[in-house]
Amino acid sequence: MTARSDRSLVIRQLTGGIAGREILRGVDLEVGPGEVHALMGPNGSGKSTLAHVLMGRPGYAATGGSAHLGPHDLLALPTWQRARAGLFLVPQYPTEVPGVSLEAAMAAALEPLEDGVVEGRLVGTRPAGLSLAGALGAEAGRVGLEARLLGRPLNVDLSGGEKKRNETVQLAVARPAIAVLDEVDSGLDIDALRQVARRVAAAREEWGLGVLAITHYRRLLDELVPDQVHVFSAGRIVETGGPELAETLERTGYAGYEPVPED
Ligand code: ADP
Ligand code: MG
């Protein structure tokens, strides 16, 4: 394996999916620090499955290939250690967690570890002198999330757009090496989309965030300009190009590209 840096996401020939059904059919992808890669493709092509397999969502598993974040073999780690290794997922449908406040969740996520598992991660570095509550408030302001919503249990009773902003606040405070954004634009109005996209784009400069942005819309990519655009079809990347490929797809749609075939 030739990791380009100790904070690159390197995926090689990844296969996997859910029990009894192989959805990913050999994914190859590298996301380096500060890079933005867009992943576009028809409904049902396996984009969210890729995000779940990378993050280790229960019910999803890899069956072959590899995924490393720097020195860390992600597929060998439980989900929380993948997060500790610097991988952050903004899910397509963020989960509500009643009884757990945002601040408590972030405090636990950022708690220093003694097991040495996560050497090299950037998690939790924030401007000196800023408390966790202060950092959350400042980040909420940047993406237009009302401060009073920070007091709710995690994502509970938030609108679709508020959940996506809330997840972006968590991303900005956690400062991971790599963020996977699964249709972060869904549910966001145009102003919110711009704020979220600009926040993520700024993170490239602020701490070298690498981004894998799953999206159907060029609008996100107008603000979060991708280094590469990949077309995902039937469980693998079938075409790679520059930002112009997103424009072509917006014109032509995914005609000729396929979802995962039913077995
Ligand atoms: P995309 O995000 O590209 O729209 P998904 O990864 O969500 O595609 O889904 C790919 C295929 O796998 C679809 O046919 C979907 O129905 C199926 N699939 C994904 N997750 C599950 C699951 N937990 N149970 C059953 N089928 C699933
Ligand atoms: Mg999806």
Side-chain angles (χ1 to χ4, degrees):
M1 201 197 75
T2 53
R4 286 180 302 165
S5 97
D6 66 358
R7 296 179 51 234
S8 292
L9 174 66
V10 180
I11 303 171
R12 298 263 186 253
Q13 281 300 305
L14 184 65
T15 57
I18 55 174
R21 184 157 177 223
E22 190 126 291
I23 295 167
L24 305 179
R25 296 166 182 239
V27 180
D28 283 294
L29 182 63
E30 283 190 34
V31 181
E35 294 179 358
V36 174
H37 292 248
L39 194 66
M40 308 180 82
N43 292 324
S45 58
K47 304 180 300 296
S48 291
T49 298
L50 174 62
H52 295 323
V53 168
L54 286 176
M55 203 71 232
R57 182 178 178 142
Y60 293 79
T63 52
S66 64
H68 287 79
L69 204 173
H72 304 289
D73 178 358
L74 293 173
L75 303 179
L77 299 174
T79 295
W80 71 272
Q81 286 186 349
R82 298 183 196 197
R84 285 286 186 164
L87 184 65
F88 189 101
L89 170 64
V90 175
Q92 188 169 356
Y93 305 106
T95 309
E96 298 192 3
V97 191
V100 177
S101 73
L102 173 63
E103 193 171 340
M106 291 310 300
L110 301 178
E111 204 168 89
L113 286 184
E114 285 151 25
D115 59 13
V117 172
V118 292
E119 210 180 317
R121 79 201 157 95
L122 260 194
V123 169
T125 315
R126 63 174 177 260
L130 205 53
S131 66
L132 177 54
L136 289 168
E139 292 296 345
R142 287 180 76 167
V143 296
L145 182 70
E146 285 181 62
R148 66 182 176 85
L149 298 178
L150 295 174
R152 295 241 182 114
L154 206 53
N155 284 326
V156 171
D157 292 331
L158 299 187
S159 73
E162 287 165 350
K163 283 179 185 166
K164 296 296 171 85
R165 296 196 227 212
N166 193 34
E167 294 284 330
T168 307
V169 169
Q170 294 167 48
L171 162 63
V173 172
R175 299 196 164 212
I178 298 285
V180 179
L181 312 178
D182 194 355
E183 299 199 24
V184 72
D185 38 11
S186 72
L188 291 177
D189 63 38
I190 291 172
D191 295 327
L193 176 58
R194 190 177 298 121
Q195 287 173 310
V196 164
R198 285 187 179 165
R199 179 66 194 96
V200 174
R204 306 170 77 170
E205 309 296 328
E206 283 178 41
W207 70 88
L209 178 69
V211 181
L212 178 60
I214 298 168
T215 181
H216 287 298
Y217 302 107
R218 214 199 62 199
R219 231 173 32 210
L220 175 77
L221 306 178
D222 286 341
E223 298 287 346
L224 184 62
V225 180
D227 298 285
Q228 292 194 329
V229 174
H230 310 278
V231 183
F232 207 72
S233 173
R236 58 166 75 95
I237 289 169
V238 295
E239 196 176 343
T240 293
E244 74 287 348
L245 181 53
E247 284 168 40
T248 308
L249 289 170
E250 195 146 88
R251 275 201 315 277
T252 63
Y254 299 121
Y257 298 112
E258 299 301 324
V260 182
E262 295 288 339
D263 295 315

